[in-house]
Each structure stands twice: as C-alpha cells, then as structure tokens.
Amino acid sequence: MDIWKIRGGSRLEGACFVQGSKNASLPIIAASLISPAETELMNVPRLRDVDSALRILRHLGCSAQQQGNDVYINSTGISENKIPHSLMLEMRSSVIFMGALLARCGEARLSLPGGCQLGKRPIDIHISAFRQMGAEIEEDGSNIRCSAARLRGCELRLPFPSVGATENIMLAACAAEGETVIKGAAREPEISALAEYLRRMGCDIEGEGSDTIVIGGFTPKGQLSYRVISDRIVAATLACAAACTGGDVELRAVEPEHFSTVLYFLKQAGCDIISDKYTVRLRSDGKLRAVGDVCTQPYPGFPTDAQPVLMAALLKAHGRTHITENIFENRYRQVEQLCRLGADISVNGRVADINGVDMLYGSSLEATDLRGGAAMIVAGLSAEGETLIHDEGHIKRGYEDLDQVLCSLGADVKLEKMKGTANGFQYTYEKTQN
Ligand code: UD1
C-alpha cells in the first residue's frame, strides 16, 4: 500500500520535463511482436503497466528489458501464443496483444481481463472486427482463442471510435492479405504514434489522425529505433495542479496540441497560458472561475482521462461547472473522496455538478483508480493541512516519480510504503524507492 502525504498550500513553481506516454508505449511494445526484429524504444516511462507488458513479451519468448527510459526488445525468438491469466489480469490493455499475436503467430490465446473500476469495458468491437477479417474466435468462460490461417483485409466500420479496438485492428491488419480500411477509427495521438511506429517497421499505413485509416502491405525492415511521444494526461495533470495552487510552471518536452482542450478550459478558468512547439507555461493567481460545461469526447474532444484532474482543479473555482462524462459509465469514483476534503459536487448519472467552495481541508482518502487518484493529489495540493491518500498502486500505474516531480516544483509531497501485519492493524512505514 502506498501512502501519499500531501501538505497543501504551496504554489507550484518552476520547470519540469513531462514523461513519455504510457498509452502510446503499451501498443507499441505489443507491436514489436508482429515481425521478428530488434527494437529500441526511447522515452518509455518506468511504470508498472510497462513492466507488465515487458513480462508478457518475455513469457512469449522474446527478450525485453527496460534500462531507465529505454526499452530493448528482440522478438525473433517468440515461442508461445498464450498469455496466462495472471499476466492478463495485471493490465486491462493486455488485450492489445491479441492483434499482435494474430499477426505474428496466426493464433492468440488469452483470458479477458474483465470489467474494471470505470464500469463495463467490453471488447465486442475488437472481436467483431477480427471475425470480419476472417478470424475464428472461441470463447470459453473468460478464456478466448482467436485464430486465422490468413487474415484478409476488408472494410470495417466501428460503431464507436474505440482506441484499443483501432490499435488492435491496426496490428492484426499488418498480416492481412489485401487492404484493411478502418472507418470510424479513433483519432487519438497514441493512434498516430502507433501508425508512425508501424510505418517505420515497414507497414504501408495512412490516414491516422483522421477517422479513416488504411493499412496495406507489410515489408518487415528489421532493426528499429523509436522515441515515444510525451504523456498528454500527465501534462494535463501537472497543468491542473499548477492552476489550482496559483502556480507558475513551465512544462517541457510536451506536445501542447495533444492536450489543447484541457488548456482551453484552464484558460477559461483564468490561467495565463503561453505555448510554443514543445513547451507550455501556465501562470495562475489561484483564484479560478468555473468554466460552465465540460463534455468528455473521443479525441480531438476533451479527454475522459483528464476529467478527474480538471474536476479537482476547479473545486475552489468561483461558480458552477458541469461535467458530462460520455466515454465511461462509472468515472466519478473520485467524487466521494473529493467531497471528504470539503468539495461540493453532486452527481446525477453522467453529469457532475461542481459548486466552487472557498476552502478545502486535508483529510484521509483512498485512491479509487489511476486518474481518480491523481485528482486527489491535485485537490490535496490546494487543500489546507495534510491529505493522506491510501493507494494500492493505482497512481504509479500511470505517473513516473510523481512525488519527486511535484517536490521539484515546490510541493510538499511524500510517498511512503505501508506494510500491513497479519492482523491488518499494525503497520510499518518505509520511504518508497522509485
Ligand atoms: C484507452 C486508454 C484509456 C482511455 C480510453 C478512452 C489505453 C491503454 N487506455 O482505453 O486511458 O480512457 O482509451 O480515451 O490506451 N467499448 C466497447 N466495446 C469495445 C471497446 C470499447 O463498448 O469493444 C467502449 C468502452 O466500454 C468505453 C468506450 O468504448 O466505454 C471507450 O473505450 P476505448 O476507447 O476502447 O478505451 P480503451 O482502449 O480501453
């Protein structure tokens, strides 16, 4: 159990580099499987989910190591197409290995990770696409076997621009006979990053960033080196933290365009924001205004992953903000915890109504999920007194050294590890080594 101890009230000030993107790294790590090759990836964050993805590769017979932010993969020796349940459970996005294994081995055997805290997360769009491409799918409880002697390209029309399904199809399509056209594709920057990586691997692919992606032939190129894009949600989180603490922060090595909708609302809230190609400087006097209506949408709309942290930044903003969550059915689990700090939020179905309060007061909270946990950190930074966040490891799934990054900007944040004893009542504490 991680314990985040946050003493609120410090303005965030200074400059920091933003980590590489988790959600871009994971499908690219899976993509390294699709042809026998040596891959070097740079700017990969050191995170539990990345570690789980590399362990899946090693289980399949590849070599895969991370040194600092570099990852080295050699996928020539693949000897297995089955991913055990224990590894699947570690990370929901392990489902992305299905398309990669189908492309490389013609067969993928895995179990479904099941629903998670954000509500039902089915994979029907993935499965339906693979079937249309000629794959045979057998489901036995939560085990799934997907096979195809040869996949065939076809035109697929997605009922919703699912990020994971678009990525999975892109991977499988590399091995398909003929052209695959994905209509209604997701347009997120992570999709464009994957397309760029596949192109460098030798895939004929175009249209990424639009709603139609066309994947043609694949001529493997062997060795490959690729730098992962920066993490737009981590950038958004730091921007929100700076905004609500009255900070003055420069975010470096970011792609401002990728989180421009978040910056738009922070500007509406009263922040002064200057961006150039790879930098964003945000200045705030800490007296934010409510921003009216925020609706989460597929990219280029406002990202669902930034919804909890923007909510946290606006808890003390003058007036009312209405958030409508359109992507996940249960993405307000942070609300109950934020209210323990004194926030005034009411939730009705997909809509959360935030009525700005004058003060927030430190309290003891429980991290509910990755971005919900990050939201509690943002709120704790602008609360009076100490906030303790008990976290079973959610936050570290997506944020690399977040305590150190925040401390370097002047925050008072400590990350400690709590060891429970058999009776669950006595604990010892130790500083977490990152
Ligand atoms: C990815 C991101 C996640 C982000 C989400 C939406 C990664 C590792 N995760 O998740 O951080 O919050 O995009 O931007 O990149 N759906 C179906 N059937 C399907 C697939 C999806 O109904 O077959 C639904 C989901 O239940 C959800 C919505 O579509 O309600 C969006 O899901 P999707 O875009 O697939 O998200 P992920 O790829 O899981």
Side-chain angles (χ1 to χ4, degrees):
M1 170 83 77
D2 291 335
I3 310 280
W4 295 78
K5 288 187 174 177
I6 300 154
R7 188 156 285 283
S10 308
R11 295 179 69 211
L12 296 196
E13 265 183 303
C16 66
F17 286 91
V18 172
Q19 71 182 61
S21 163
K22 166 178 87 74
N23 288 354
S25 298
L26 299 176
I28 287 172
I29 289 171
S32 69
L33 264 186
I34 63 177
S35 73
E38 285 181 32
T39 305
E40 178 191 17
L41 301 175
M42 290 161 289
N43 203 32
V44 180
R46 286 173 291 112
L47 300 170
R48 218 176 76 194
D49 278 9
V50 168
D51 194 52
S52 303
L54 298 181
R55 271 189 289 131
I56 289 177
L57 284 188
R58 288 197 289 273
H59 171 84
L60 297 172
C62 307
S63 81
Q65 280 90 35
Q66 180 160 24
Q67 286 168 15
N69 292 117
D70 297 331
V71 162
Y72 302 95
I73 299 167
N74 184 336
S75 64
T76 43
I78 185 167
S79 54
E80 175 63 90
N81 61 31
K82 183 175 180 190
I83 305 178
H85 189 56
S86 55
L87 283 172
M88 287 300 292
L89 273 183
E90 287 186 15
M91 146 182 103
R92 146 101 197 165
S93 41
S94 45
V95 77
I96 200 72
F97 281 91
M98 191 150 55
L101 279 170
L102 254 187
R104 178 75 182 273
C105 310
E107 181 173 37
R109 289 177 296 154
L110 34 87
S111 60
L112 297 180
C116 86
Q117 305 94 336
L118 308 181
K120 282 197 284 301
R121 293 180 83 171
I123 56 162
D124 53 313
I125 303 174
H126 307 234
I127 299 290
S128 156
F130 289 151
R131 282 207 165 108
Q132 291 174 69
M133 294 172 81
E136 219 174 90
I137 318 257
E138 291 163 33
E139 290 179 71
D140 167 19
S142 69
N143 296 318
I144 188 156
R145 179 174 171 272
C146 194
S147 60
R150 190 73 210 257
L151 291 165
R152 43 169 201 273
C154 60
E155 184 173 306
L156 301 162
R157 193 172 286 275
L158 308 192
F160 180 84
S162 156
V163 175
T166 303
E167 291 167 344
N168 235 340
I169 298 164
M170 287 162 73
L171 298 184
C174 288
E177 207 166 1
E179 199 171 75
T180 305
V181 179
I182 313 173
K183 297 216 156 166
R187 300 167 59 186
E188 271 69 2
E190 294 77 20
I191 300 284
S192 300
L194 177 62
E196 176 58 24
Y197 177 79
L198 291 175
R199 190 175 292 118
R200 292 207 207 162
M201 275 184 106
C203 177
D204 177 9
I205 183 164
E206 57 187 46
E208 73 274 12
S210 79
D211 64 358
T212 304
I213 300 176
V214 182
I215 302 119
F218 181 56
T219 319
K221 285 193 179 153
Q223 253 184 351
L224 171 62
S225 180
Y226 182 81
R227 185 177 172 82
V228 172
I229 57 171
S230 68
D231 196 307
R232 62 195 170 105
I233 306 302
V234 172
T237 304
L238 294 170
C240 287
C244 65
T245 58
D248 181 354
V249 166
E250 186 172 280
L251 302 174
R252 296 183 177 160
V254 291
E255 270 100 339
E257 187 56 33
H258 291 174
F259 59 113
S260 60
T261 46
V262 181
L263 295 176
Y264 167 83
F265 283 113
L266 292 176
K267 217 171 199 167
Q268 295 295 304
C271 299
D272 180 24
I273 296 172
I274 307 167
S275 312
D276 65 22
K277 203 165 176 211
Y278 296 114
T279 316
V280 169
R281 180 167 177 190
L282 181 145
R283 275 176 293 188
S284 156
D285 63 6
K287 297 187 185 77
L288 301 183
R289 298 187 292 270
V291 297
D293 293 306
V294 181
C295 298
T296 65
Q297 299 287 356
Y299 194 84
F302 185 87
T304 174
D305 287 352
Q307 175 263 105
V309 291
L310 182 70
M311 172 186 279
L314 295 173
L315 297 177
K316 294 202 291 182
H318 184 69
R320 281 179 182 273
T321 299
H322 311 278
I323 296 181
T324 307
E325 172 55 56
N326 290 309
I327 309 296
F328 290 107
E329 60 180 17
N330 183 17
R331 198 152 205 182
Y332 288 132
R333 295 184 76 218
Q334 74 277 11
V335 166
E336 192 184 327
Q337 303 295 312
L338 296 177
C339 289
R340 295 172 76 161
L341 301 175
D344 180 359
I345 312 168
S346 54
V347 174
N348 189 357
R350 288 187 174 274
V351 180
D353 217 338
I354 303 145
N355 189 14
V357 293
D358 291 338
M359 292 292 286
L360 295 172
Y361 301 95
S363 183
S364 180
L365 311 179
E366 202 177 313
T368 46
D369 58 86
L370 164 58
R371 306 299 171 189
M376 291 169 215
I377 291 182
V378 171
L381 290 169
S382 69
E384 197 178 81
E386 188 174 70
T387 296
L388 290 182
I389 303 169
H390 299 75
D391 178 16
E392 281 168 7
H394 295 295
I395 299 169
K396 281 209 253 166
R397 279 188 42 232
Y399 294 87
E400 183 183 63
D401 300 338
L402 183 59
D403 55 327
Q404 292 167 32
V405 173
L406 291 170
C407 287
S408 75
L409 296 172
D412 184 350
V413 176
K414 290 191 184 70
L415 178 55
E416 294 176 351
K417 207 158 191 69
M418 184 166 79
K419 282 185 183 164
T421 58
N423 66 16
F425 287 102
Q426 290 180 329
Y427 298 97
T428 56
Y429 291 91
E430 69 185 40
K431 174 83 179 77
T432 301
Q433 302 298 313
N434 281 307

